Amino acid sequence: MQGTMLYGPRDIRFEDRPEPKITKPTDAILRLSATCICGSDLWPYRGIAEVTQPTPMGHEYCGIVEEVGKEVRNIKPSQFVVGSFATSDNTCVICRDGYQSSCRQREFMSTAQAPMLRVPLADGTLVATRDLPSKELIPSLLATSDVLGTGWFAADAANVKPGSTVVVVGDGAVGLLAVLSAKQMGAERIIAMSRHESRQKLAREFGATDIVTERGEEGSTRVKDLTKGIGADSVLECVGTQESMMQAIRSARPGGFVSYVGVPHRVELTGTELFFAHVHLHGGPAPVRRYLPELIDLVLNEKINPGKVFDLMLPLDQVAEGYRAMDERRAIKALLRP
Ligand SMILES: [Zn+2]
C-alpha cells in the first residue's frame, strides 16, 4: 500500500508503507471511503510545528470495516464506520463525562491519509451506520470525523443556545462548520469574521447573519459596535494564534463564553486581562466521539450538509497538491479518495 508522509516543510510524499495489521485484540482495520487534509496538518507542513523525522499524516476518516480483533464486540466486518481523530475506550470516567478526546487510553490517529487504516479501541472509537450510506453522503460523513465535530464542540463549549448572539473567529473549515453548528443550536445572530469572499459566501449559506472583515483590535471593536457596545454571548475561536485568541476574548461580553478549538501556537494569556474580561473559557481537542451519533444522524437525515466545506476533491495519490492548495488558500479543504 502507499500512504502519506511528511518529510519536512512542504515536503509531502506518497510512498510505500506497510499495510496495517491487527496488533491488539481491540483493533479494527478499515478500508477508507475517503480521508482529507486538516487545517492542523498545515502547522507541521509550514514548518511552524517542527518535524524531526518522516511522519505519517492524516486523522480524519470513514470507511468499511475489513477485519476486527478478537475482543471487538460491537463493530463488525463490512459495516460503514466513522471515528474520531482521538481514540477512546468510551468507558473510563473521563469518557463517561463526555471528554473522550482525553480518554485515559487515548491515542491520536496519524496514518489516515492512506487507503487502509488501523483503529485502536475500535468499539469505543468507531460509530457504525445501520446501512451503507450513499456515495453522495460520504463527504458529509467524513466531515463528522473531525472538522464538524470540532465546530460543534466550539459551539457547545461556548454555551450557544436558542437566541444567542455568536461570534466565530476564523473562516477555515472548522470556523465555517462552527457557524453551521451555532445555527443548528438555535443562535439568532451569527457574526462570522472573514476576509475572503468565497468563505463569506459559505458562512452565509451555513447561517451567518453578519460578516466582520476587520481583525485584531479593530475586529473586536466592530463586534462591540454590532452588539450595543457589550460583546457577544458566545465567541468561538477556531484559529489558534495570539491575535485570534485575544480577538475572541475581547469580543465576548462580561459573563460570556469563549471556546477555543484551534490548536494554539505561541499563544500566551495575561492574568490581569483574563481577570477583568470576566469570561468563561472552555476548549481543547474536541471530544468528537461524544457528538458522532447525533451528527451522523443529522447527515443521514439530510438536515445538514457539512460536506460543502470540501471544495477540492482529489485522488489520494495527489495528496501533495491538496496540501499546496490549502497552504496557498486556493482550497478551503481537500477531500482525498483512495
Ligand atoms: Zn476513556
Side-chain angles (χ1 to χ4, degrees):
M1 144 185 128
Q2 291 191 300
T4 307
M5 301 286 285
L6 178 65
Y7 274 73
R10 295 187 168 79
D11 185 1
I12 284 283
R13 300 184 201 173
F14 192 67
E15 63 178 24
D16 287 339
R17 299 281 300 150
E19 211 162 283
K21 302 244 175 309
I22 301 276
T23 56
K24 286 188 190 157
T26 46
D27 289 348
I29 303 293
L30 312 187
R31 179 172 298 280
L32 297 189
S33 306
T35 177
C36 55
I37 301 169
C38 184
S40 67
D41 293 335
L42 295 180
W43 294 111
Y45 181 76
R46 290 171 170 158
I48 297 167
E50 208 190 349
V51 179
T52 50
Q53 56 182 6
T55 306
M57 298 296 287
H59 56 258
E60 297 170 76
Y61 58 93
C62 61
I64 307 286
V65 180
E66 282 265 312
E67 194 189 345
V68 297
K70 283 196 185 69
E71 287 172 26
V72 176
R73 298 279 170 267
N74 304 320
I75 297 297
K76 298 186 166 58
S78 67
Q79 278 179 327
F80 179 88
V81 292
V82 185
S84 161
F85 59 86
T87 68
S88 53
D89 54 26
N90 217 21
T91 54
C92 77
V93 61
I94 309 292
C95 283
R96 278 185 277 132
D97 274 348
Y99 284 83
Q100 288 90 339
S101 45
S102 280
C103 173
R104 302 191 69 185
Q105 300 198 60
R106 175 191 68 193
E107 290 174 45
F108 284 114
M109 299 295 292
S110 67
T111 57
Q113 288 162 8
M116 306 285 294
L117 179 67
R118 182 180 77 90
V119 181
L121 301 170
D123 274 336
T125 303
L126 298 170
V127 175
T129 58
R130 210 189 56 188
D131 308 305
L132 290 187
S134 71
K135 270 205 169 73
E136 295 71 46
L137 292 178
I138 297 289
S140 285
L141 288 166
L142 173 64
T144 65
S145 169
D146 177 358
V147 59
L148 174 61
T150 296
W152 196 269
F153 174 57
D156 193 20
N159 195 41
V160 174
K161 292 191 292 217
S164 294
T165 293
V166 177
V167 169
V168 177
V169 180
D171 63 0
V174 169
L176 292 167
L177 291 178
V179 170
L180 178 151
S181 303
K183 174 77 181 170
Q184 277 293 313
M185 293 179 196
E188 186 176 300
R189 196 160 182 206
I190 304 172
I191 303 168
M193 306 194 84
S194 169
R195 285 181 167 175
H196 303 84
E197 214 166 300
S198 59
R199 296 173 187 226
Q200 293 170 2
K201 197 169 156 261
L202 196 47
R204 285 201 186 273
E205 248 181 81
F206 284 152
T209 53
D210 302 78
I211 303 286
V212 167
T213 53
E214 292 88 345
R215 277 192 193 171
E217 201 58 56
E218 280 175 39
S220 40
T221 305
R222 186 83 191 96
V223 169
K224 292 267 165 78
D225 290 345
L226 291 169
T227 53
K228 299 180 181 145
I230 327 176
D233 304 318
S234 303
V235 184
L236 288 46
E237 195 286 317
C238 307
V239 184
T241 63
Q242 180 72 27
E243 184 185 56
S244 62
M245 192 69 178
M246 295 322 299
Q247 190 175 313
I249 291 169
R250 290 169 186 164
S251 297
R253 66 188 296 160
F257 292 76
V258 174
S259 63
Y260 53 102
V261 299
V263 181
H265 285 78
R266 302 185 194 116
V267 176
E268 285 182 19
L269 304 179
T270 58
T272 311
E273 172 143 14
L274 271 186
F275 185 77
F276 286 104
H278 232 160
V279 298
H280 304 70
L281 279 180
H282 184 193
V288 173
R289 179 61 183 81
R290 188 204 316 176
Y291 305 118
L292 271 179
E294 182 183 1
L295 297 180
I296 290 171
D297 270 355
L298 284 170
V299 168
L300 293 178
N301 295 321
E302 297 185 50
K303 303 271 189 229
I304 55 173
N305 188 2
K308 276 188 186 168
V309 294
F310 295 108
D311 56 349
L312 179 63
M313 310 275 190
L314 292 171
L316 179 59
D317 61 6
Q318 289 175 38
V319 56
E321 168 54 19
Y323 276 83
R324 275 194 298 275
M326 284 175 62
D327 178 36
E328 294 163 13
R329 294 183 76 95
R330 283 184 281 121
I332 297 172
K333 194 168 175 74
L335 181 144
L336 306 165
R337 293 193 192 283

